[in-house]
C-alpha cells in the first residue's frame, strides 16, 4: 500500500526535471539602472552598405603606349602644406600625361606655409622609386637637358577663373611654344577632357608611386612600433591659426588659449557675432574643440581607455578637454627621441602623421582638409574602412536646438551611423568606384 505514493512522488520529480532540462530558463532582464550607451557596441560594429575601392580600369588595365615624341617639359609648382602639395602634384602628373609632356620633378614651396626653407620633394619622397613606378604612365626626369636647364620655365597662370579650367586650351599652346612650362593645378578642372590614360597616370602617382624616403620610412616604422595597439589615429584641428581663420566665437577658453587666439586673429579675422555667428556655426564652419571631440567619441561608444594617436600640428589648444576623458593619448613628440623630433621640419612631421594614420586600426578626423581626404583615399586603397569624419555641422545643429546629455548623444550616433553605413563624406577621387555590399 505504501509503494504507490512513493512511485507517484518519483514520477512527478522525474517529469519536473525533464521540463527544466528541455526548456531553458528565460534570459534575465537587464537592470533598469544599467547604462544603455555603455552597452552599445562602438560605431565600427555597424554594418556598411557601401565601400569605395580602387577602380579596376586603372589597376588592371593595359597601358596606352606613350607617344614617341614629347611636346615639352612641365614642372608642377606646389605650395602649402604637405598634403595640399601632394594633391597638386598628383593632378600635375595627370596634366602632363594629358598634354603628352615630360614631367620634371616638382618644386615644393614650403617657406610661406611652415616658415622654414627646407623640405623639397626629395626630402620627403623617394624620387627614384617614383620614377620607376611611373614607367609607362608618363615620362619623368630628374634633370633637364642642357639646352633647357639654363632657362626658367614659362609660368602659366592656372588660378581659379569663372568656369572650369581647360589645360588643352590654356596650357598646351604655351607648352608647344616654349617647350618648358611651370603650372600650379587649378582648383576647378575640366576632368571630362581627361582620357583614361591621363587619369590612370594620376591614380598611379597618388596611390602607388609616392613613397617616403628611407630615413623617413624608418622613423615612421619606429613611431608605429611605439604606439600601443590597437589604436585610433585622431586628426584634431584646434590650433590658434585654424580657429582664427574660421572666424568662430568660443566661450570658456583658457586665458592662454585666448591670448594665442587673439594674436592669430590680428585685425582682419574678427569673429562673427549675433545671428551671423549662429548661421555660420550651424553650417559646420567651426572647428570642434577637444572637449566637443571627446563628447562625440563617447556618443559613438568609443571606450575611454582606447589608445589614441594624436595626429596634430604644434600649438594645439585646450587639449585637456580630450585627455581628461581619454587618458591613453600619445603624440609623436612624446614617442620619438628629442633629437629625432627636433631635427624634423613641418613637412616631415606631417608625413609621419600621414603614415601613422593610413596604417592605424581606425581613423577619425574633426576636419575635412587635404590630409583627411588623402588619408581616407589611401585607407580605402589598402582596404581599411574604419574611417569616419566627425560632423561639425551635426554637433552645431543639435546643440543649437538645445539637445544635451543622452538625447544629444543619441542624435550624434544616428547622424554618424548614417554617414558610416553609406560611406558618405569620403570625397574620393576618380580613382575609386562605389561597391554595394
Amino acid at each position: 500500500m505504501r509503494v504507490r505514493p512513493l512511485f507517484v512522488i518519483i514520477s512527478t520529480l522525474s517529469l519536473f526535471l525533464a521540463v527544466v532540462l528541455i526548456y531553458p530558463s528565460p534570459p534575465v532582464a537587464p537592470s533598469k539602472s544599467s547604462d544603455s550607451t555603455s552597452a552599445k557596441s562602438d560605431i565600427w560594429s555597424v554594418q556598411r552598405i557601401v565601400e569605395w575601392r580602387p577602380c579596376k580600369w586603372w589597376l588592371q588595365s593595359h597601358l596606352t603606349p606613350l607617344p614617341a615624341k614629347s611636346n615639352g617639359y612641365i614642372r608642377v609648382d606646389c605650395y602649402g602644406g604637405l598634403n595640399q602639395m601632394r594633391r597638386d602634384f598628383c593632378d600635375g602628373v595627370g596634366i602632363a600625361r594629358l598634354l603628352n609632356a615630360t614631367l620634371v620633378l616638382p618644386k615644393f614651396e614650403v617657406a610661406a606655409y611652415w616658415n622654414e626653407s627646407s623640405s623639397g620633394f626629395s626630402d620627403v619622397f623617394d624620387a627614384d622609386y617614383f620614377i620607376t613606378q611611373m614607367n609607362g604612365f608618363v615620362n619623368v626626369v630628374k634633370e633637364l637637358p642642357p639646352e633647357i636647364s639654363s632657362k626658367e620655365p614659362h609660368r602659366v597662370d592656372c588660378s581659379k577663373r569663372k568656369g572650369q579650367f581647360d589645360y588643352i586650351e590654356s596650357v598646351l599652346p604655351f607648352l608647344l611654344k616654349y617647350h618648358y612650362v611651370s603650372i600650379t593645378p587649378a582648383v576647378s578642372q575640366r576632368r571630362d577632357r581627361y582620357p583614361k590614360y591621363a587619369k590612370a597616370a594620376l591614380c598611379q602617382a597618388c596611390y602607388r608611386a609616392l613613397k617616403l624616403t628611407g630615413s623617413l620610412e624608418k622613423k615612421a616604422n619606429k613611431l608605429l612600433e611605439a604606439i600601443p595597439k590597437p589604436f585610433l589615429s585622431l586628426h584634431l584641428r584646434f590650433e590658434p591659426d585654424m580657429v582664427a581663420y574660421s572666424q568662430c566665437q568660443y566661450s570658456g577658453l583658457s586665458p592662454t588659449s585666448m591670448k594665442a587666439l587673439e594674436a592669430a586673429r590680428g585685425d582682419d579675422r574678427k569673429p562673427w557675432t549675433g545671428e551671423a555667428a549662429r548661421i555660420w556655426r550651424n553650417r559646420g564652419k567651426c572647428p570642434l574643440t577637444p572637449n566637443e571631440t571627446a563628447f562625440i567619441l563617447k556618443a559613438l561608444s568609443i571606450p575611454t581607455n582606447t589608445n589614441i594617436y594624436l595626429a596634430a600640428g604644434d600649438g594645439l589648444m585646450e587639449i585637456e578637454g580630450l585627455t581628461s576623458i581619454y587618458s591613453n593619448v600619445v603624440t609623436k613628440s612624446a614617442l620619438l627621441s628629442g633629437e629625432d623630433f627636433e631635427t624634423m621640419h613641418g613637412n616631415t612631421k606631417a608625413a609621419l602623421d600621414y603614415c601613422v594614420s593610413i596604417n592605424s586600426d581606425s581613423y577619425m578626423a574633426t576636419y575635412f582638409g587635404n590630409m583627411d581626404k588623402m588619408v581616407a583615399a589611401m585607407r580605402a586603397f589598402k582596404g581599411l574602412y574604419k574611417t569616419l569624419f566627425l560632423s561639425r555641422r551635426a554637433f552645431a545643429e543639435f546643440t543649437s536646438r538645445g539637445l544635451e546629455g543622452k538625447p544629444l548623444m543619441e542624435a550624434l550616433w544616428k547622424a554618424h551611423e548614417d554617414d558610416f553605413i553609406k560611406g558618405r563624406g569620403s570625397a574620393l577621387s576618380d580613382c575609386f568606384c562605389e561597391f554595394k555590399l
Side-chain angles (χ1 to χ4, degrees), residues 325-337:
I325 299 169
Y326 287 85
S327 54
N328 296 337
V329 177
V330 296
T331 62
K332 53 186 172 293
S333 60
L335 295 175
L336 292 174
S337 69

Side-chain angles (χ1 to χ4, degrees), residues 296-307:
I296 298 176
L297 293 184
K298 287 193 74 177
L300 301 180
S301 296
I302 303 299
T304 54
N305 64 349
T306 298
N307 297 314

Side-chain angles (χ1 to χ4, degrees), residues 176-189:
L176 294 171
K177 180 178 179 180
Y178 294 101
H179 305 295
Y180 180 30
V181 300
S182 68
I183 62 168
T184 298
V187 174
S188 182
Q189 304 179 36

Side-chain angles (χ1 to χ4, degrees), residues 316-354:
L316 200 62
M317 300 189 297
E318 304 291 311
I319 188 58
E320 298 80 10
L322 173 71
T323 56
S324 62
I325 299 169
Y326 287 85
S327 54
N328 296 337
V329 177
V330 296
T331 62
K332 53 186 172 293
S333 60
L335 295 175
L336 292 174
S337 69
E339 184 181 347
D340 266 350
F341 189 73
E342 288 168 13
T343 57
M344 294 171 63
H345 44 72
N347 263 350
T348 51
K349 290 177 185 177
L352 290 188
D353 282 342
Y354 170 82

